[in-house]
Amino acid sequence: MIDLRSDTVTKPSFAMRQAMAQAEVGDDVYGEDKTVRQLEETAAQMLGKEAGLFVTSGTQGNQVAILTHTRHGQEVIVDADAHVFYYEVGAMAALGGLQTRPLAGERGMMDIAAIEAAIRPDNIHFPETGLICLENTHNRAGGTVLPLSYMAAVHTLATRYHVPVHLDGARLFNAVVASGESAADYAATVDSVQFCLSKGLGAPVGSILVGSSAFIERARKWRKMLGGGMRQAGVIAAPGIIALTQMVERLAEDHARAKRLAEGLANIRGLTVDVDRVETNIVLVDVRDSGMPPEEFLTTLQQCGVLATSFGGTLMRFVTHVDVTDDHIDDAIAAAAFTTRMR
Ligand code: TLP
């Protein structure tokens, strides 16, 4: 099977498994796991923030950040397709007692004037605006990169209104490699960043949340409340260190393969792909013109040995990652061409 459902499906490399076996561990709730400490410090340093926190998943990292920044009854400005709004089980409302203010985005970017208009003035009727969330790269927009200049503009606006900004940087390093900007420059435009070790960077588990020392101290308590106080977590932090220090540059290969996949799929009659939108490792394909029901497209493709995911309606998502080779891309294009001919 060529698994293009997500970059979450990668299996840890031999080096990662070796690092897991040899990791120095301790009880992390007592702050005694040296490997977790090393991972958190390395991450904070790379992102130019004071402190880091190892969390179980991207969802936990985002929600811990949101809970740390806000108070019950506040409002959070999010892009309507943001993962924190669309895919996190309504946690902001359920756990945080927060109201969301979703704004339509273009390539993952909410209009700056629309953000400003959405920030609540001081009025007895209104909730307070507690947070603005950004996502880079933007998953549902097709892995698009938010330019540093856009993030800086949001930062300037948010600072003027004293509203903190959280970045869901699940795939921040894809944005870094695609744009040539540094992770620290991106992180400097926001108050906190969550990024995933378990996606393109290839680690089996975990995400990191970074921010100021005071922010991370409070976040650590929220993580504990959510059941994320892990004990000898060095065994899962060890592959995270490899992910962060050795797996970043190679993301360029995933981007090149995604582009080639997009071009190949765009040449197939019945498939619509906005090739220009493919900036990183995600390819969105619309199968409407193939005349095939979306489920049938996916099952036939699967019978040809290729897995992709449904992205709502007639849209499909293909994601490249470390376990995908050039040959897999050729085979996936051939499988998609065969699939559309089955109609
Ligand atoms: N995204 C997953 C699914 O949940 C959709 C995927 O396959 O892409 N932020 C962004 C932008 C994400 O894409 C994801 C995962 C997360 C946060 C959550 O990370 P996890 O899965 O570790 O909780």
Side-chain angles (χ1 to χ4, degrees):
M1 272 295 168
I2 301 170
D3 195 344
L4 301 171
R5 286 173 301 169
S6 183
D7 46 10
T8 59
V9 302
T10 56
K11 308 263 168 53
S13 64
F14 181 67
M16 285 184 178
R17 288 174 188 270
Q18 264 188 327
M20 292 171 87
Q22 288 160 6
E24 199 175 342
V25 297
D27 190 326
D28 183 48
V29 174
Y30 290 104
E32 291 170 2
D33 192 300
K34 286 196 178 140
T35 311
V36 172
R37 278 285 167 90
Q38 190 191 335
L39 172 61
E40 291 176 341
E41 281 163 19
T42 307
Q45 201 175 18
M46 280 173 77
L47 276 87
K49 293 288 192 209
E50 286 172 2
L53 182 68
F54 184 41
V55 290
T56 58
S57 66
T59 301
Q60 189 181 63
N62 284 334
Q63 294 304 324
V64 162
I66 290 166
L67 288 163
T68 309
H69 281 299
T70 60
R71 286 193 314 277
H72 248 70
Q74 287 187 325
E75 191 168 66
V76 178
I77 298 176
V78 288
D79 159 62
D81 264 325
H83 195 280
V84 290
F85 176 65
Y86 199 96
Y87 285 122
E88 298 194 5
V89 211
M92 265 197 251
L95 306 176
L98 295 160
Q99 174 163 292
T100 35
R101 186 80 180 271
L103 304 179
E106 180 52 37
R107 287 178 95 110
M109 287 175 274
M110 299 173 277
D111 180 57
I112 301 282
I115 299 177
E116 182 160 18
I119 295 175
R120 300 284 193 161
D122 189 13
N123 180 310
I124 193 165
H125 301 90
F126 294 159
E128 282 169 18
T129 301
L131 182 67
I132 298 169
C133 288
L134 299 177
E135 183 176 316
N136 199 4
T137 64
H138 197 286
N139 185 355
R140 287 194 58 79
T144 49
V145 176
L146 273 56
L148 187 58
S149 56
Y150 171 79
M151 294 196 39
V154 174
H155 177 64
T156 305
L157 176 71
T159 308
R160 184 141 45 89
Y161 287 92
H162 307 290
V163 178
V165 183
H166 170 67
L167 174 64
D168 176 356
R171 299 185 177 84
L172 178 64
F173 285 98
N174 293 86
V176 164
V177 167
S179 67
E181 308 286 2
S182 76
D185 283 347
Y186 270 125
T189 66
V190 294
D191 298 276
S192 57
V193 184
Q194 177 280 124
F195 70 88
C196 293
L197 299 161
S198 64
K199 297 199 165 57
L201 301 182
V205 191
S207 274
I208 300 281
L209 179 63
V210 296
S212 69
S213 301
F215 173 85
I216 291 299
E217 203 178 305
R218 287 186 293 121
R220 197 174 284 281
K221 205 141 176 168
W222 277 112
R223 183 190 69 169
K224 189 78 179 81
M225 193 187 284
L226 297 183
M230 297 176 281
R231 301 296 179 175
Q232 287 70 34
V235 287
I236 51 171
I241 294 170
I242 294 180
L244 203 47
T245 55
Q246 296 175 31
M247 303 291 279
V248 173
E249 269 97 62
R250 65 148 307 284
L251 292 172
E253 294 172 31
D254 298 345
H255 299 174
R257 291 191 180 107
K259 196 74 169 178
R260 203 159 66 73
L261 176 65
E263 285 160 356
L265 296 176
N267 281 331
I268 297 171
R269 189 200 298 259
L271 301 186
T272 308
V273 186
D274 183 351
V275 177
D276 168 58
R277 197 175 264 256
V278 181
E279 299 179 58
T280 59
N281 67 331
I282 295 179
V283 181
L284 300 185
V285 181
D286 197 327
V287 301
R288 179 172 307 158
D289 295 340
S290 70
M292 266 183 140
E295 314 73 49
E296 191 185 323
F297 177 85
L298 281 182
T299 32
T300 312
L301 193 65
Q302 180 168 359
Q303 281 156 7
C304 298
V306 177
L307 295 173
T309 43
S310 159
F311 225 41
T314 53
L315 212 53
M316 308 289 146
R317 187 186 73 167
F318 295 71
V319 186
T320 56
H321 51 76
V322 62
D323 296 336
V324 175
T325 64
D326 284 331
D327 286 348
H328 289 156
I329 297 298
D330 293 334
D331 292 349
I333 295 167
F338 181 81
T339 297
T340 54
R341 287 200 298 271
M342 292 308 283
R343 186 71 189 155

